[in-house]
Structures are given as C-alpha cells and as structure tokens.
Amino acid sequence: MEMNLYARLADQLADQIREGVFRVGDKLPSVRQMAKKQQVSISTVNTAYGVLEDRGWIEARPKSGYYVRKRNEDRLATPTQTRHTPKPRPANTSQLVMEVQRDAAARKGVSMSAAIPALDFPILKQVQRTFAQMARSKTFLGIGYDSPEGVREFRHQIARRAVDAGVFISPECIITTAGCQNAMALCLRVLTQPGDIVAVESPCYYGLLQMIETFGLKALEIPAHPQTGLSLEALQLALEKWPIKVALTVATFSNPIGSLMPDERKAELVKILGRYDIPLIEDDVYGDLYFGDHRPKAVKAFDPDGRVLLCSSLSKTIDPQLRLGWVMPGRYFEAVSHRKFINSIALPTLPQMVMAEVLSQGMYDRHLRQARECYRQRFARLLDLVNEHFPEGTRISRPQGGLVAWFELPRKIDTTQLYHRAHAEGVMLAPGELFSISGQYRHCFRLNYAQGWSPERELAVRKIGQWVREELQSS
Ligand SMILES: Cc1ncc(COP(=O)(O)O)c(C=O)c1O
C-alpha cells in the first residue's frame, strides 16, 4: 500500500510539472508541507521526491529544498501512416502469434507484450468477494442451460452503460459471449463465407487477422492514420475496386496504435458502408479507457439501421480471466444468437450474475476513473523513458486511451529478431510482424504500458532502447 502511495504521488507531481503547474526553477513544497497537504507520511513524500529526482524531474539543493529541473523536451515523432495500395490476401502469421501468446502466458521475466490491464486494482478483490458470496447464496447449478442470449441482469447492465457511448439499446438486443474475440468470431461467421474479403485497418490487432485466416477469408488492409484511425478515403477507393463483404474496425483506441476516429468520421463511415450495403463489426473493447474528458461515442451510435455489430468485453477494463463479453448485433441478432448456440449452447451463469452485481455498483465507475488516470500517467512515464533511452529516428504513438503504445524504428531494425533477443533476456514485446499480413511492420513493435512502473520494468525499457542502438550501430 505504502509503495502505491509514493509511486502515485510521484506520478501526480510529474504530471503537474509536465502541465506547467510547477515550472523549471520552481521550488516544490517542503517534505513536511507536502506530507500535511497530501495526508501521507513524511517518508512517503521523501521516497516520492527521491523517485522524481532519479527520473530527472527535480533536484535537491542543499539546505534549500527540491527544485524543478530543466529536462529534455519530447523529441519523438509519431508513427507514419502507411501508404500501401490495399490488396486482399490470406493471412498467415499464426506460428509467431502462438509463440508470443504462450510466452506472455508463462509470466516469466518482464512481460510487456500482451494487451492486458493492470492487475493490481482493488476491483479484483471485490470481484473475487462477489464470486464467493454469490456462489454461496445463488442457485447456479441444477438449472440447466442458460438462454443463448445470456443472463438478463448482466445484459441490463451492459445496456445501461452503452448510453455513455451514445448507444441506446434494449437488453433484449444484446447477446453475451466468451469475451470480445468470441463475439467477433460469431459475427464474422454469420456475415462471411470462405473466400470473402474483409476490410480491416492497418496495423490491425493480430487476433483479428488470425481469425480471418482460420475462417478462409481474405484481409484487405486499409491504411490507418495514427490519430484518426481507418482512412475513409482509402476505404472508399477499396470499396470501388473490391467486393468487400464486411468491414471491421477498432475505431476507439485501436490496437496497436491507439488512434481515435473523430465522431464526424464515425458517422461518415456508417454512411459510406450504407451506400454499399456492407455491415461493420465494431470492436469497442478499449472504449471505456479514454484519457480525455469524456467517453467517445461508438460507431454504433451513428447507425440508424442496425448494420453495425458492436463487440466488447470486460477483458481490458477488469480482467481477461473473466472471459465475459457481449455483442449488439443489430439486424443480425437472430443469426448471431443461433451461431452462439451452435458454438457453445450458452455461457456459465455464475460469472454473468457476479458481473451484473459488480457493474450495478458505484465501485465499477470509481475503478474506471482510477484506471484511466493511472494509464494516462503510466503512458507519460513510458514516453519519458523512451525520450531518454531510445535512439534518434524512433517514433512512438500518442494513444488517446487504452493499454498499448506502438513504436516505429528505423527500417534497418528487424523487430522479430529484437523480440527473440529480448525474450532470451527475459523481456517480452510484441513484434510488428504480427500486425499485418503484408509484412509492413517488421521495423515496429507494441509495448504494454498499463502495468505499474517498477525499477525492473523501467530497466526493461532502457534495455530495449540499448539493443536498438546496438543494432543500428552494427548495421
Ligand atoms: C482489439 C482487441 N479485440 C479483442 C481482444 C480480445 O478480447 P477478449 O479477451 O475479450 O476476447 C483484444 C485483446 O487483446 C483486442 O486487443
């Protein structure tokens, strides 16, 4: 607990310095004043000031106190937008995907490859307690199968929360799934036949590319802008040229690049797809993890006629262990419901009842507020580290929400090799090769910044920077 306190205080102060509340040369409140103001112990403030000193934010002046130091400015550019001409191709990166997935699951060394949330928030204990209470008090065995649509109370909570994303929906129009990946798979199965073309943004979350491959579909990679996401101009051209069957997007904090499609473009996207009568599978799994001051709308908020199938889950906001997600399939409700029945008949009832209870309470909102602030600060710390330790020519995304950052390195660097080297030294990152089927991102990689910054994690980032430097010098 004490460790969390000083780390949090250090992060908050770093943030205030970044935002100019304290300027270069300003004196920070004395240790005693700060302890009183923050209602923490003197040793907590001492440790927090020590952390800020180590990170180069402040310096101690003998007999005078702590002062804000001049620091290097953020010198890193954002990643470039790909400019390839889209062409439909079968996907084929599964071997490396499984290797990366297994390495992450082994939880050895410093794992920064998986897009998982921080697992040290108090909500996890609360979920665990609610599981224990409800397992004792509710009847969840001896009741046969749940309905294919899922537990009503849980769907009710999802419908209630969808309003924040501009989606007004009845619980009757929602189907629960075993996570977002399962929801997307059900939708793709319903909407496509082998050989069909699916338009995806590029770079694209590799789980989706794998799904496209396994279902015998072809992916058409549409370039995405690092800030605004899927290029509508490129999509329009592709629609004129290819018989696209369905489009798929993570419009709100895409994985891996963290882009956010503005509302006008979300509305425009639905209009364009309407002209070609094409459905859109929207993956909104990161939507609640915004760094700005309000929850961005889902694309589905702009969908008057049910062509958007919105998929999401609790994997990124609470824990992927829950394997609990949902789909709002619009006009494809019956077909998706039937597909879920074919795949798994129904989900277990208990986790849905538990999460309905958790979501109905204020603690979930408190948790989201805490998580968003925490992730925003943790990304800021990553940016500092990368500014300090990565060579010239490194580009890094500025995610507007979510859990991951995307790095673009000079083209000489092969990040699959970097992945193997890092892995051998106990550091896990996600190589860029996974995020495309046309080999475009072999000089890029993705890193999770959501976990708390320990000295070990900071060292891992430092080491990656060092390995990139060495690679550049040797080539
Ligand atoms: C964009 C995106 N969609 C879906 C998933 C999988 O979500 P779930 O664990 O709910 O199946 C991930 C996990 O990394 C993801 O990044």
Side-chain angles (χ1 to χ4, degrees), residues 236 239 268-278 307:
Q236 178 74 55
L239 283 163
E268 182 60 23
L269 172 61
V270 178
K271 271 200 201 133
I272 294 174
L273 294 174
R275 285 204 284 277
Y276 292 82
D277 196 20
I278 291 175
R307 77 175 58 256

Side-chain angles (χ1 to χ4, degrees), residues 129-346:
R129 269 198 296 273
T130 314
F131 257 106
Q133 275 160 11
M134 294 191 90
R136 276 196 306 271
S137 63
K138 296 273 177 188
T139 307
F140 65 97
L141 291 175
I143 52 171
Y145 292 109
D146 184 23
S147 77
E149 287 77 34
V151 168
R152 192 162 193 299
E153 293 84 337
F154 181 64
R155 293 188 287 142
H156 177 79
Q157 289 305 322
I158 300 306
R160 203 170 62 85
R161 298 191 156 271
V163 175
D164 294 347
V167 178
F168 296 85
I169 190 167
S170 145
E172 311 305 329
C173 301
I174 300 173
I175 301 169
T176 65
T177 61
C180 184
Q181 183 93 354
N182 177 230
M184 308 280 285
L186 295 172
C187 296
L188 259 190
R189 276 292 200 208
V190 162
L191 298 172
T192 59
Q193 298 291 328
D196 282 348
I197 300 174
V198 181
V200 296
E201 61 218 353
S202 181
C204 176
Y205 161 53
Y206 52 80
L208 302 178
L209 293 177
Q210 294 302 299
M211 216 185 278
I212 290 172
E213 176 195 355
T214 314
F215 294 170
L217 305 167
K218 290 196 185 112
L220 185 65
E221 298 180 290
I222 310 286
H225 185 275
Q227 293 297 315
T228 55
L230 185 78
S231 159
L232 299 186
E233 298 70 19
L235 176 67
Q236 178 74 55
L237 290 175
L239 283 163
E240 280 161 23
K241 189 159 175 198
W242 304 100
I244 295 171
K245 199 65 187 289
V246 48
L248 210 153
T249 181
V250 189
T252 307
F253 317 131
S254 74
N255 172 3
I257 209 158
S259 57
L260 169 62
M261 189 182 278
D263 281 358
E264 326 74 80
R265 288 179 81 82
K266 284 179 174 165
E268 182 60 23
L269 172 61
V270 178
K271 271 200 201 133
I272 294 174
L273 294 174
R275 285 204 284 277
Y276 292 82
D277 196 20
I278 291 175
L280 173 76
I281 305 179
E282 177 181 19
D283 180 334
D284 193 41
V285 81
Y286 296 103
D288 281 332
L289 298 177
Y290 51 93
F291 298 163
D293 48 15
H294 65 277
R295 198 326 179 167
K297 286 196 171 131
V299 180
K300 194 167 177 65
F302 302 96
D303 171 29
D305 49 17
R307 77 175 58 256
V308 178
L309 301 89
L310 183 147
C311 303
S312 192
S313 79
L314 298 174
S315 294
K316 310 298 175 182
T317 51
I318 302 188
D319 193 326
Q321 271 294 327
L322 293 167
R323 308 309 307 133
L324 199 48
W326 56 91
V327 48
M328 302 175 185
R331 59 163 91 146
Y332 306 96
F333 183 88
E334 274 310 318
V336 173
S337 191
H338 184 234
R339 181 56 69 168
K340 176 181 166 187
F341 166 73
I342 294 170
N343 272 20
S344 53
I345 304 186

Side-chain angles (χ1 to χ4, degrees), residues 36-159:
K36 202 162 163 208
K37 225 161 76 174
Q38 296 291 325
Q39 298 185 331
V40 294
S41 68
I42 291 211
S43 78
T44 299
V45 179
N46 264 327
T47 318
Y49 279 10
V51 168
L52 288 174
E53 208 179 354
D54 288 348
R55 291 185 187 172
W57 285 106
I58 60 173
E59 61 192 358
R61 294 189 193 157
K63 300 211 174 83
S64 178
Y66 286 93
Y67 289 80
V68 178
R69 265 184 59 182
K70 186 161 170 35
R71 290 171 49 86
N72 292 336
E73 292 300 310
D74 179 3
R75 61 182 172 83
L76 301 175
T78 53
T80 46
Q81 176 173 349
T82 47
R83 304 224 173 269
H84 67 284
T85 310
K87 189 163 174 257
R89 300 168 212 256
N92 61 356
T93 54
S94 51
Q95 207 181 336
L96 187 57
V97 165
M98 293 312 283
E99 202 178 321
V100 173
Q101 204 70 18
R102 288 198 181 104
D103 288 345
R107 287 200 211 96
K108 289 205 187 106
V110 181
S111 180
M112 301 173 118
S113 56
I116 53 171
L119 302 174
D120 57 355
F121 288 123
I123 187 110
L124 292 187
K125 288 225 166 69
Q126 193 63 42
V127 170
Q128 204 151 354
R129 269 198 296 273
T130 314
F131 257 106
Q133 275 160 11
M134 294 191 90
R136 276 196 306 271
S137 63
K138 296 273 177 188
T139 307
F140 65 97
L141 291 175
I143 52 171
Y145 292 109
D146 184 23
S147 77
E149 287 77 34
V151 168
R152 192 162 193 299
E153 293 84 337
F154 181 64
R155 293 188 287 142
H156 177 79
Q157 289 305 322
I158 300 306

